[in-house]
Each structure stands twice: as structure tokens, then as C-alpha cells.
Amino acid sequence: MERKKNISMAVIKRLPKYHRYLRELLKNDVDRISSKELGEKIGFTASQIRQDLNCFGDFGQQGYGYNVKELLNEISGILGLSKEYKMIIVGAGNIGQAIANYTNFEKLAFNLAGIFDINPKLIGLKIRDVEVIDIDGLVAFLKETPIDIGVICVSKNNAQTVADMMVTNGVKGIWNFAPVDLEVPEEIIVENVHLSESLLTLSCLMNDRTYP
């Protein structure tokens, strides 16, 4: 399957939702589903689903719909889930610990290889059998262990320094929870999760509904 060029970020951001719902359908022994039925479950129109999937190839058959297992496998491949990823977390506070404890990542082949922090009270703590290591050991760890994804859960004042350490030592993707925009080389992929921005988006939408 060949992915078409210039696919919008909006389409890409909808793919994980397709993946989640298709996994649930498969768990519930649903073998096939129409674009209309899938749209009703997800909250998209049938036309939107067909347009999104057409960005990546020809799926489904008229009069039959989509084979759930086959479509799930195709979307898993598009999302890069046909391979395993090693990741580390820098920042073992509340957010870092919550991410480390989220078992679904392992099911999706995202394997936590290390956790790092500067706080002496957290160093040595084990989170699901992964010990928190002193941040001073980060560079040595990255030199010995190839890491695909670095998760940044530190303050905005320290985030850029951590990102630089990751990039310099081979990390290709950064999942950034720090409330700051990172400066990285063009080839490095950054996905920002700014919690306050998400909350403000919610409040804006609520305000637009003219709640009292």
C-alpha cells in the first residue's frame, strides 16, 4: 500500500480514532462493517470515512463494506505499528509516572526502556519494574541503548536542554508535555501535548456555547 503525498494533518490525527474503534469491533467479533455503520460509531460521516481512507489506498467493497481485521491491519501499518519502538521518559513526576503506568503502550509495541529525573527522592523508584535513573546518566544510557522516542515531562525551563540531549544522541521522535515549543532539526518529529492549551480549547468551546 502506497501512501499518497500531501495528506493533511487532520486526516492523520483521525487515524488513531479509527484504530481504536476497529480494535473494539474486532474484540466484539465484528467481521465487517459499512462506512455508514462505522461513521455512526465514531461520529464521522460515511463520506468523511471514505475520503480519509482513500488517502491511503482502496479499502472496502461496495455492498460488503470493510473487513474489520484487514482494515485494522492496514491502519496499524499506516500508523507504524508493524514495528516496535523503544522509548524513555525524562521527568518522573505526576505526568511521567502516569505515562509509565499506562499499559496500553506496551500492547501497541511502545516499550519503555528507561525513566530519568533530577529529584533525589525519585531516583531509585521503580515504576512497573523500570527504575528511575539520575538524569546525569541520560547521555551514557542513550549511547548504549538506541531509543526511538523520548518523552519530555520536565519544566519548560529544562525542556529544551533535555530535547538537545535526546536529539544529539539519536532520538528521532519527541513526545513533549512541557509547555514550550522546542527547537529541533527538521528531521526530528515532535508531537506536543500542552495540557493547558487543551483545557483552554475546551473553555473556549464552552464559552462559544454561551453557557451562563
Side-chain angles (χ1 to χ4, degrees), residues 90-108:
V90 177
N94 293 334
I95 295 175
Q97 290 188 37
I99 293 170
N101 278 308
Y102 189 61
T103 57
N104 268 353
F105 292 140
E106 288 182 359
K107 295 176 183 177
L108 295 172

Side-chain angles (χ1 to χ4, degrees), residues 127-174:
I127 305 173
R128 297 183 62 247
D129 294 328
V130 179
E131 185 173 332
V132 178
I133 303 171
D134 192 310
I135 189 68
D136 288 343
L138 176 60
V139 171
F141 182 92
L142 290 173
K143 289 183 181 299
E144 295 176 2
T145 310
I147 294 296
D148 303 295
I149 298 172
V151 186
I152 296 181
C153 301
V154 301
S155 68
K156 65 179 182 179
N157 294 331
N158 296 318
Q160 186 63 56
T161 299
V162 171
D164 292 342
M165 294 167 71
M166 289 179 174
V167 171
T168 302
N169 291 282
V171 174
K172 300 302 181 187
I174 295 176

Side-chain angles (χ1 to χ4, degrees), residues 28-79:
N28 292 325
D29 298 321
V30 177
D31 295 323
R32 65 176 179 172
I33 191 167
S34 69
S35 55
K36 180 181 178 182
E37 291 168 332
L38 185 57
E40 288 172 351
K41 288 183 177 296
I42 298 179
F44 299 159
T45 64
S47 175
Q48 180 71 74
I49 289 173
R50 290 193 295 268
Q51 287 177 30
D52 286 352
L53 297 180
N54 283 341
C55 292
F56 302 95
D58 296 323
F59 303 105
Q61 301 174 21
Q62 190 169 2
Y64 177 87
Y66 301 106
N67 181 295
V68 172
K69 185 175 182 180
E70 290 179 2
L71 184 57
L72 176 60
N73 288 339
E74 293 285 1
I75 290 180
S76 294
I78 295 166
L79 290 170

